[in-house]
Amino acid sequence: MQSNLYATQKNLPQPTVVVATHNTHKVEEIQAILSPHLPGVQFVSARELDAPEAKENGTTFVENSVIKAEAVAKICGEVTIADDSGLEVEALHGAPGIFSARWAGKHGDDVANRELLLAQLQDCEPEQRKARFACAAVAIAPIGDAVAVTEYMDGHIITEERGQGGFGYDPIFVVGGETRTNAELTADEKDSISHRGKAFRALAPYVAKMLGVTYVP
């Protein structure tokens, strides 16, 4: 891959990490998590590079994150990161899982996804509403090195939405030890305990090594 050539053609700042997603909320969240540990590194989304979104046809979160990262890395030749995450509900035997973003049928329809999930759990007792968020994050270097980590956020599903922040299932999920939903937490509070925050913080030293920059613990 011609990393320097691509960066020059696209006027990319260096050092740069490409985030293999078109989801603006996710890019902002990942950048907020990683920036303190990778000072001076710029984050660019796949959307900004006109890179198409890969078909997520894996059977696990790790497989899907690798598929997304590899597809974009082959195009841009830059260090590329991606994640696949979702909600696993105990009463639904781990569903919606890898289908979390399209649980109601249309990809990315957060409102419909939440409404369907709440309807499916309406007859469940509190102890049956245990759930966890899972996140598999991966980093791929132009030379082919790859690292993947998986982290979790345990909690439960409430009976109605609360809060205006976050995205996805955040308004109906309460993490263990909290009374507020993820959507009622500040961005910093959520990032400090979230599945995505844990996964990308664990990935940060490897990204720094791939870029040849200093990692800040």
Side-chain angles (χ1 to χ4, degrees):
M1 295 185 230
Q2 300 297 316
S3 177
N4 292 336
L5 176 61
Y6 187 91
T8 300
Q9 291 173 335
K10 293 294 184 178
N11 296 315
L12 293 182
Q14 292 294 305
T16 295
V17 169
V18 178
V19 186
T21 182
H22 285 209
N23 186 322
T24 302
H25 292 296
K26 184 176 289 189
V27 174
E28 292 173 349
E29 189 170 317
I30 291 172
Q31 182 172 346
I33 293 166
L34 287 179
S35 290
H37 305 289
L38 303 172
V41 173
Q42 304 299 310
F43 295 85
V44 179
S45 72
R47 181 190 294 275
E48 294 175 82
L49 302 183
D50 296 320
E53 291 189 283
K55 185 177 181 180
E56 299 176 37
N57 53 10
T59 59
T60 67
F61 292 122
V62 172
E63 287 180 6
N64 280 334
S65 63
V66 170
I67 288 170
K68 289 186 279 190
E70 283 185 340
V72 175
K74 287 178 181 178
I75 294 173
C76 71
E78 300 291 326
V79 172
T80 302
I81 60 176
D83 83 302
D84 194 42
S85 57
L87 181 67
E88 299 176 332
V89 181
E90 188 172 297
L92 300 179
H93 307 288
I98 60 171
F99 303 109
S100 294
R102 53 189 184 276
W103 190 233
K106 181 180 179 181
H107 191 281
D109 190 338
D110 291 346
V111 174
N113 289 336
R114 293 194 298 267
E115 289 178 346
L116 175 58
L117 185 66
L118 288 177
Q120 292 170 321
L121 298 178
Q122 64 181 346
D123 295 326
C124 290
E125 298 297 328
E127 62 272 15
Q128 297 175 302
R129 303 176 76 92
K130 293 178 182 178
R132 70 178 184 179
F133 278 115
C135 176
V138 63
I140 293 181
I143 59 173
D145 291 340
V147 178
V149 296
T150 302
E151 293 287 351
Y152 301 94
M153 183 185 200
D154 295 299
H156 67 275
I157 304 299
I158 58 174
T159 58
E160 59 183 8
E161 298 188 16
R162 297 202 316 259
Q164 302 299 316
F167 61 97
Y169 296 93
D170 283 345
I172 59 174
F173 182 87
V174 175
V175 65
E178 258 291 346
T179 57
R180 294 172 295 171
T181 67
N182 278 7
E184 293 175 306
L185 301 176
T186 67
D188 287 343
E189 286 175 327
K190 178 186 169 185
D191 289 346
S192 69
I193 58 175
S194 77
H195 53 306
R196 185 171 289 115
K198 294 175 186 175
F200 277 104
R201 279 192 295 274
L203 199 66
Y206 301 101
V207 175
K209 185 175 181 180
M210 291 176 180
L211 291 170
V213 301
T214 300
Y215 163 70
V216 177

